[in-house]
Amino acid sequence: MKRWNGWGFTNVDYPLSGGMLEFLTERVGSGRKSADAPLSDVAQRVPHSRLAEHPLITTDIVERITHSTGQSMNDWIAMRSGRIPAFVDGTAYPVNRADVRALIDYARSTGARLIPYGGGTSVVGHLTPVGDAPTLSVDMRRMSDLIALDSASQLATFGAGIAGMDVEAKLRARGFTLGHYPQSFEFSTVGGWIATRSSGQQSRHYGRIESMFAGGHVETPNGALDLLPVPASAAGIDLREIVLGSEGRIGIITDAVLRVARLPDHERFDGVVFPTFEQGVNAVREIAQANLPLSMMRLSSAVETETQFALSHSSLMPLLERYLAMRGASNERAMLIYGVTGKRDICASAKAAALSIIRQHGGIFVGAVMGSSWKKNRFRSAYLRNTLWDHGYAVDTLETAVPWSSTFPLMRAIESAIREAAAAHDERVHVFTHLSHVYPTGSSIYTTYVFPLGLTPEATAQTWQAMKAAASQAVIAHGGTISHQHGVGLDHAAYLSAEKGETGIDAMRALIRHFDPDGLMNPGKLVP
């Protein structure tokens, strides 16, 4: 059973060690625990539905509550305090394209607005109802089949509501994999990945979702849009690019054809520790620019490395600490987790070539223990958000991507902006960063920040909004993208014009108006 006011399943936790609590207290002070609002109390605040009756729609109150938020910080404050600002008026569970078309026709005839709903994992406000019109959440979970698998072409057709775990289960049973592993993998869906331009942890090997998305079907208010899954085309504008990143504004993705791969012969994740973060950056940049076929590289800053060591429950940590100190990697050390995936001989040669570069930059190979620990916890670590909140701390993340020449300046600017904004609210914050994806021309920057809850939900929101705004402004000032993998939603919409320009924003608005002339689809998101 999923939590209604937090992350993930109710029977899964990620406990903090006593050492981690002490670590946090030293850096930001004691947490301020806050009582959660009971679901029964929230239910009493839900207004009557304004939707006209329809056989596909339920107005069940609990369903309306759980479909009115995602996983953004605004959502968390609202869920935990019970002060959810707006509720959807109903939910629908279509089972085929005809149902989706019927719901769009219903919205047009009644003046309702539609919000597509996948796994509810949005961290930037994609699911928040906006405006005065009645709102219907269209939950795609019942359109979750593997519809077809063309083994010769390595093309798989899925219902858009299928979650990552089920994608892999169905493909692996037939000897294939998609290899798309965002941290939200357990719950996020194919349709959501496409609509937000998602990136998985092993995208160096398998590609981002835009390279996997071969075609499919979208029901738009202006008619159906079919995208042929051809391997390549010179036939004008690629309409897939209009669907990618559209965030529910042009219609509802009902099914998608994805490029899949044979299961790899070999896969392994290893750890490396560099004496300094700068040495690690130089190494991963050189590896990326040499196009060595590693499947992933994640490089943690010194502060994040220290935090990860504090989080560890491993009895081997004291021994590892002594070994690294002997090798000259102590206070400023930076941890790299890298993976090799594919044919065993290619993996062996890629690993050897990468280790040669790593050693030239002072890297210390520490083997599969750290890599295996990362793989084991890579989806479970999201549950830390529940644990930290229960101890009185809020945690949020933001991410961007920028050319290599701007990586260090932007990373420092983001962290400084967050600290200064927290200080202005008389709060301390623990900030740390890693490079989550690397490319020949640049890298993503993924920053996490932990701070005590405020004395009131409003105080928590004000501190977070100040930090988020300051960091976003730093991103824009240094020429970074406002989102590398989370999308735009409500949280990033104000900064999009700085990246796209007014001409670009006007073009996006024109596209949305073409597909959705009556403004039925997910209002307020992406482009105001």
Side-chain angles (χ1 to χ4, degrees):
M1 184 176 180
K2 286 178 67 177
R3 288 178 172 85
W4 76 270
N5 63 348
W7 178 265
F9 296 114
T10 55
N11 64 337
V12 179
D13 290 305
Y14 198 124
L16 288 182
S17 65
M20 184 59 190
L21 281 175
E22 182 180 344
F23 177 89
L24 269 180
T25 302
E26 288 175 356
R27 281 152 183 79
V28 301
S30 299
R32 300 188 186 103
K33 295 183 180 181
S34 177
D36 291 341
L39 180 59
S40 57
D41 287 358
V42 179
Q44 293 177 11
R45 302 187 188 119
V46 179
H48 291 295
S49 174
R50 297 166 293 173
L51 294 173
E53 289 189 9
H54 189 279
L56 292 174
I57 297 173
T58 175
T59 57
D60 178 83
I61 287 179
V62 173
E63 291 293 293
R64 290 173 60 193
I65 293 171
T66 57
H67 284 77
S68 295
T69 59
Q71 295 289 325
S72 73
M73 182 55 67
N74 278 326
D75 290 329
W76 267 67
I77 294 169
M79 290 186 296
R80 293 290 187 145
S81 68
R83 302 176 187 178
I84 297 174
F87 296 91
V88 298
D89 290 87
T91 54
Y93 298 88
V95 298
N96 53 41
R97 295 178 183 178
D99 284 354
V100 173
R101 173 51 57 189
L103 291 169
I104 292 173
D105 291 342
Y106 166 87
R108 181 181 290 110
S109 65
T110 62
R113 302 294 183 261
L114 305 177
I115 299 179
Y117 187 98
T121 60
S122 167
V123 294
V124 292
H126 288 115
L127 304 177
T128 303
V130 173
D132 297 327
T135 305
L136 174 64
S137 177
V138 183
D139 189 318
M140 300 297 288
R141 73 179 68 178
R142 292 179 182 169
M143 296 180 68
S144 57
D145 291 332
L146 171 58
I147 298 168
L149 176 62
D150 180 345
S151 299
S153 306
Q154 296 190 182
L155 293 172
T157 305
F158 287 100
I162 190 169
M165 286 196 305
D166 295 326
V167 168
E168 283 300 314
K170 290 177 182 293
L171 287 176
R172 286 173 178 264
R174 295 161 174 81
F176 289 91
T177 179
L178 182 63
H180 191 69
Y181 303 114
Q183 192 174 54
S184 59
F185 169 77
E186 291 178 297
F187 307 106
S188 57
T189 62
V190 164
W193 296 342
I194 294 166
T196 59
R197 301 188 77 102
S198 172
S199 182
Q201 294 164 343
Q202 290 173 254
S203 61
R204 282 186 57 80
H205 180 74
Y206 294 107
R208 289 167 57 96
I209 195 64
E210 52 259 46
S211 63
M212 299 173 175
F213 179 43
H217 184 89
V218 185
E219 288 291 339
T220 86
N222 204 21
L225 180 64
D226 283 298
L227 307 168
L228 292 176
V230 294
S233 171
I237 294 171
D238 187 348
L239 296 180
R240 292 178 313 118
E241 290 293 339
I242 295 174
V243 178
L244 286 158
S246 56
E247 302 194 1
R249 290 303 306 269
I250 69 168
I252 298 176
I253 302 164
T254 61
D255 42 272
V257 184
L258 303 178
R259 300 179 177 105
V260 298
R262 297 278 178 188
L263 282 170
D265 295 336
H266 176 74
E267 182 165 81
R268 177 184 168 112
F269 300 94
D270 285 312
V272 170
V273 176
F274 292 92
T276 68
F277 183 63
E278 289 78 5
Q279 287 169 286
V281 170
N282 291 334
V284 299
R285 182 178 66 239
E286 187 172 336
I287 291 169
Q289 291 176 343
N291 288 317
L292 296 184
L294 302 188
S295 58
M296 59 86 66
M297 287 189 281
R298 173 190 167 126
L299 178 67
S300 296
S301 69
V303 177
E304 177 164 297
T305 300
E306 180 187 22
T307 304
Q308 289 176 325
F309 279 30
L311 268 172
S312 175
H313 293 269
S314 173
S315 60
L316 298 175
M317 287 307 298
L319 182 63
L320 178 60
E321 293 268 16
R322 290 195 294 271
Y323 172 70
L324 292 173
M326 289 173 54
R327 294 289 304 273
S330 53
N331 294 336
E332 296 300 316
R333 63 196 173 199
M335 182 172 67
L336 168 69
I337 301 296
Y338 74 88
V340 289
T341 302
K343 295 288 186 182
R344 188 174 293 273
D345 56 343
I346 295 174
C347 288
S349 61
K351 179 178 176 179
L355 283 176
S356 175
I357 293 172
I358 285 167
R359 291 186 178 112
Q360 290 171 25
H361 291 278
I364 304 162
F365 180 72
V366 294
V369 173
M370 292 172 68
S372 298
S373 176
W374 172 82
K375 182 180 180 182
K376 176 183 176 182
N377 293 310
R378 62 173 168 171
F379 308 126
R380 185 167 169 251
S381 60
Y383 286 85
L384 266 174
R385 204 173 183 189
N386 301 319
T387 308
L388 287 168
W389 193 283
D390 291 341
H391 284 284
Y393 299 98
V395 57
D396 195 34
T397 62
L398 60 91
E399 39 76 42
T400 181
V402 75
W404 283 114
S405 57
S406 298
T407 297
F408 280 120
L410 179 51
M411 178 178 155
R412 287 192 289 264
I414 289 171
E415 293 187 346
S416 295
I418 291 172
R419 291 191 191 97
E420 291 168 8
H425 284 74
D426 296 321
E427 292 288 5
R428 296 159 65 192
V429 60
H430 183 52
V431 189
F432 48 93
T433 298
H434 66 266
L435 307 186
S436 65
H437 300 74
V438 297
Y439 306 90
T441 59
S443 70
S444 66
I445 298 171
Y446 196 102
T447 299
T448 302
Y449 48 111
V450 185
F451 59 101
L453 296 177
L455 295 174
T456 65
E458 292 81 7
T460 303
Q462 288 169 4
T463 302
W464 170 75
Q465 287 163 0
M467 292 187 290
K468 177 74 171 180
S472 298
Q473 290 159 7
V475 168
I476 296 303
H478 286 77
T481 176
I482 198 59
S483 178
H484 171 265
Q485 65 207 62
H486 288 165
V488 177
L490 289 177
D491 291 356
H492 295 153
Y495 307 99
L496 193 62
S497 62
E499 179 172 337
K500 303 298 185 185
E502 287 306 317
T503 301
I505 293 293
D506 287 344
M508 293 171 69
R509 286 197 180 103
L511 277 171
I512 291 169
R513 281 195 299 269
H514 170 75
F515 288 103
D516 182 21
D518 298 316
L520 306 178
M521 300 303 308
N522 209 9
K525 317 306 168 18
L526 186 63
V527 179

